[in-house]
Amino acid sequence: MGLAKRIIPCLDVKNGETVKGVNFVGLRSAGDPVALGKAYSEQGADELVFLDITASFEERKTFTDMVTRVAREISIPFTVGGGINELADVERMLYAGADKVSINSAALRRPQLIDDIARRFGSQVCVVAIDARMEEQQDSTAWKCYLKGGRERTEHDLFQWAHEAQERGAGEILFTSMNHDGVKQGYANEALALLAHSLSIPIIASGGAGRREHFRDAFLQGHADAALAASVFHFGEIPIPELKQYLREEGIEVRL
């Protein structure tokens, strides 16, 4: 059957609370991140991702304290991201209890950071997150990467950048389709499949989960190694144990 597919709740953290929006805007509260993390660990989530979405200097300490509290409460690996710009930031998060770090804007601005993290801490620690939007062009479509939580467009192509990140030492790619984020119409499976076929490192699908079938399709059509979601978990729309049982019935290897 190969490696088990992973289900990963994502908690966007702002001012110490979990929030969720649509297409990266319109945030609403979804609860205490430590309590949610503990609940997901107990429900059978394979990993967790915590993102400090407004990682300004003043909030860094709040977020680091939260990471320490999460580490005490859960028994599964977790990744943290947001405001990680240098090796000292990585070290602080790992020391606080995180297993991996997710880098996005900082990696696009200074790709050498990927090399540095992989060399210092190992590739398994370095998750390169890519927020990309599909744009209609004259005779085709293109996926362009964005900085700053989706606020600033770059000329980087999704597939070229993902390949460069892998070559520099990234251990995983976390791909969020900005077109699909929060609208619950399914993941960007065609783009996921292209990434999966062109890269040798795991691909985490993000953006678009609304029904159990969307997770199935991300694995069977998108060939993703893991599927990440937020609101469908935070607001109780899809319980993780039920989702995993459904996926197992659909022939997808998951840990129950």
Side-chain angles (χ1 to χ4, degrees), residues 127-134 143-144 158-159 162 172-180 187-193 195 202-207 228:
V127 179
V128 172
I130 304 177
D131 299 332
R133 185 186 295 279
M134 187 175 70
W143 285 90
K144 294 298 181 183
L158 163 65
F159 304 102
E172 292 180 279
I173 298 293
L174 167 52
F175 162 52
T176 300
S177 166
M178 294 173 62
N179 308 73
H180 296 72
Y187 293 93
N189 292 321
E190 287 185 20
L192 282 167
L195 285 170
I203 309 298
I204 304 169
S206 170
L228 177 146

Side-chain angles (χ1 to χ4, degrees), residues 34-252:
V34 180
L36 275 173
K38 183 179 181 182
Y40 291 140
S41 178
E42 292 169 350
Q43 288 167 21
D46 297 294
E47 296 185 19
L48 297 172
V49 170
F50 291 84
L51 299 177
D52 183 355
I53 62 169
T54 54
S56 65
F57 181 76
E58 300 78 23
E59 289 166 14
R60 287 280 180 85
K61 188 175 189 309
T62 303
F63 189 71
T64 305
D65 290 345
M66 184 213 75
V67 170
T68 302
R69 288 186 291 126
V70 167
R72 291 196 196 109
E73 297 289 345
I74 70 172
S75 57
I76 55 177
F78 74 110
T79 301
V80 297
I84 292 173
N85 298 304
E86 57 188 10
L87 289 179
D89 298 325
V90 180
E91 199 159 35
R92 187 178 70 253
M93 288 303 167
L94 296 179
Y95 185 75
D99 299 279
K100 310 177 194 177
V101 296
S102 168
I103 55 173
N104 187 337
S105 301
L108 278 164
R109 290 196 194 99
R110 190 170 70 84
Q112 179 65 33
L113 181 61
I114 302 170
D115 305 68
D116 294 345
I117 294 171
R119 192 176 300 115
R120 174 84 172 271
F121 303 106
S123 288
Q124 78 283 353
V125 163
C126 185
V127 179
V128 172
I130 304 177
D131 299 332
R133 185 186 295 279
M134 187 175 70
E135 300 176 354
E136 298 291 336
Q137 301 191 336
Q138 282 183 328
D139 300 312
S140 63
T141 57
W143 285 90
K144 294 298 181 183
C145 302
Y146 278 68
L147 293 166
K148 297 181 181 175
R151 290 188 287 272
E152 186 178 308
R153 183 184 182 278
T154 75
E155 286 302 321
H156 282 276
D157 170 80
L158 163 65
F159 304 102
Q160 292 172 356
W161 172 234
H163 185 266
E164 180 179 344
Q166 172 181 277
E167 295 307 295
R168 287 180 175 275
E172 292 180 279
I173 298 293
L174 167 52
F175 162 52
T176 300
S177 166
M178 294 173 62
N179 308 73
H180 296 72
D181 178 68
V183 297
K184 300 184 179 180
Q185 298 297 308
Y187 293 93
N189 292 321
E190 287 185 20
L192 282 167
L194 285 170
L195 285 170
H197 289 312
S198 62
L199 302 180
S200 59
I201 59 176
I203 309 298
I204 304 169
S206 170
R211 303 198 310 271
R212 298 181 306 177
E213 293 82 0
H214 295 154
F215 291 87
R216 175 198 66 195
D217 293 346
F219 295 133
L220 295 182
Q221 297 173 18
H223 303 286
D225 299 276
L228 177 146
S231 61
V232 293
F233 297 142
H234 301 339
F235 302 116
E237 296 163 38
I238 302 178
I240 290 173
E242 288 180 22
L243 171 61
K244 286 193 158 189
Q245 191 61 51
Y246 164 79
L247 291 171
R248 177 67 68 88
E249 291 166 3
E250 291 289 316
I252 296 164

